[in-house]
Amino acid sequence: ILMLAVSSNASAVTLSFNHQGPIEHPYQDGAAKFAKLVDAYTDGSLEIAIYPSSQIASGAQSIDFVQMGLLDITLQSTMAMSNFVPEFGVLDMPFLFKTREEAFRVLDGEVGAALSKLAEEKGLKILAWWDNGFRSFTSSKGPIEKPEDLRGLRIRSPESQVYLTTFQALGAVPIQITGSGAFTALRLKIVDAQDNSSSNNLTAITTNSMFLEICPYYSVTNHIYSAEPLIMSLDRFNSFTASEQEALMKAAKAAET
């Protein structure tokens, strides 16, 4: 188990931070920067213990853990968040954004604020929106250059109704498999292709020598943008002083991946 913390004060309050990426993923860089900034902005009164690779929980379960007070902070997908606030699913609509900059103008504007307010009604505080890149396909069958190439293709899909409906409309055969099970599903030929974000795909390619052997075609389709809310228990957030709350929000924004 890997846990990293920035510690500068023996009496500091330690907050657990869980994310799904391995240590090579940009999530880990963002988490480390967040931890460093929280320590600096609070003069050591708060510290962050980082748990990569979903060591505490994954997917919607990690948000459950935040609600129950078993985990302080999780970086999780809008797909998982839509299980708690269905309106978050609108962000998973295909071809909603053309660029990351366009996405963040929306997320940092009125739409993001409205979604954050809905999250607070469920006891969840959105500290910031982080980036996981646009989603594309990797395939064992050939490149995906036009919609017709998806017909009949068995695609690993995230556990999201929006994704299922999108892939079905394009003629594909989506099979819901967790992110951690995607490589195994490709290796065992349970699926022909997988949908994933640019950050996740590039991390897999650079850290797993077998990935390109099993799934050699990488088609940059950018069909859905993956925004990742940084989520904290609202009760836990409100337990801190105003200056500590400001520090958490400021550090989360500054550490956006």
Side-chain angles (χ1 to χ4, degrees):
I1 294 176
L2 175 65
M3 182 275 284
L4 301 175
V6 173
S7 179
S8 58
N9 186 334
S11 62
V13 174
T14 300
L15 301 176
S16 54
F17 180 145
N18 181 86
H19 69 80
Q20 67 181 4
I23 59 173
E24 300 88 356
H25 196 284
Y27 284 169
Q28 182 67 15
D29 296 331
K33 183 176 180 180
F34 175 67
K36 183 177 180 179
L37 291 174
V38 167
D39 180 68
Y41 294 161
T42 64
D43 293 323
S45 68
L46 298 180
E47 67 177 36
I48 306 296
I50 304 168
Y51 296 86
S53 301
S54 300
Q55 290 179 30
I56 296 178
S58 63
Q61 185 187 48
S62 69
I63 303 175
D64 262 331
F65 276 26
V66 168
Q67 283 187 322
M68 292 186 291
L70 302 175
L71 171 65
D72 294 310
I73 300 169
T74 187
L75 180 62
Q76 200 39 257
S77 68
T78 50
M79 294 173 283
M81 191 63 186
S82 66
N83 288 284
F84 302 85
V85 184
E87 290 84 352
F88 271 66
V90 72
L91 297 175
D92 297 324
M93 294 294 289
F95 303 107
L96 187 63
F97 302 114
K98 293 181 179 179
T99 66
R100 178 186 185 278
E101 291 72 25
E102 181 184 19
F104 271 86
R105 282 196 297 271
V106 172
L107 295 172
D108 291 335
E110 293 181 4
V111 172
L115 291 172
S116 295
K117 184 176 180 180
L118 290 171
E120 291 190 12
E121 293 174 5
K122 301 294 184 179
L124 300 166
K125 178 70 177 179
I126 306 300
L127 298 178
W129 299 89
W130 285 14
D131 168 58
N132 197 21
F134 281 90
R135 301 183 78 88
S136 291
F137 295 108
T138 54
S139 172
S140 62
K141 295 295 186 180
I144 297 168
E145 299 175 336
K146 53 188 183 299
E148 291 78 11
D149 294 334
L150 291 166
R151 289 178 185 167
L153 202 65
R154 294 172 301 165
I155 295 178
R156 172 263 165 184
S157 168
E159 297 169 292
S160 161
Q161 189 59 49
V162 174
Y163 282 75
L164 283 177
T165 302
T166 298
F167 296 153
Q168 287 169 346
L170 291 168
V173 181
I175 300 174
Q176 289 186 321
I177 297 171
T178 62
S180 60
F183 178 75
T184 299
L186 288 164
R187 183 171 56 83
L188 297 178
K189 301 187 185 303
I190 296 169
V191 294
D192 306 312
Q194 62 124 10
D195 150 273
N196 224 318
S197 70
S198 56
S199 294
N200 292 348
N201 280 328
L202 293 174
T203 300
I205 290 168
T206 56
T207 60
N208 187 338
S209 61
M210 293 183 62
F211 188 87
L212 285 178
E213 293 180 25
I214 293 169
C215 206
Y217 299 97
Y218 185 4
S219 301
V220 181
T221 53
N222 291 343
H223 51 275
I224 294 174
Y225 177 74
S226 291
E228 304 280 308
L230 187 61
I231 307 161
M232 186 175 188
S233 161
L234 182 61
D235 286 342
R236 185 65 157 148
F237 180 81
N238 287 336
S239 72
F240 297 119
T241 66
S243 62
E244 288 171 331
Q245 291 175 7
E246 182 181 0
L248 286 166
M249 297 291 287
K250 182 180 177 182
K253 179 65 177 175
E256 280 179 2
T257 59

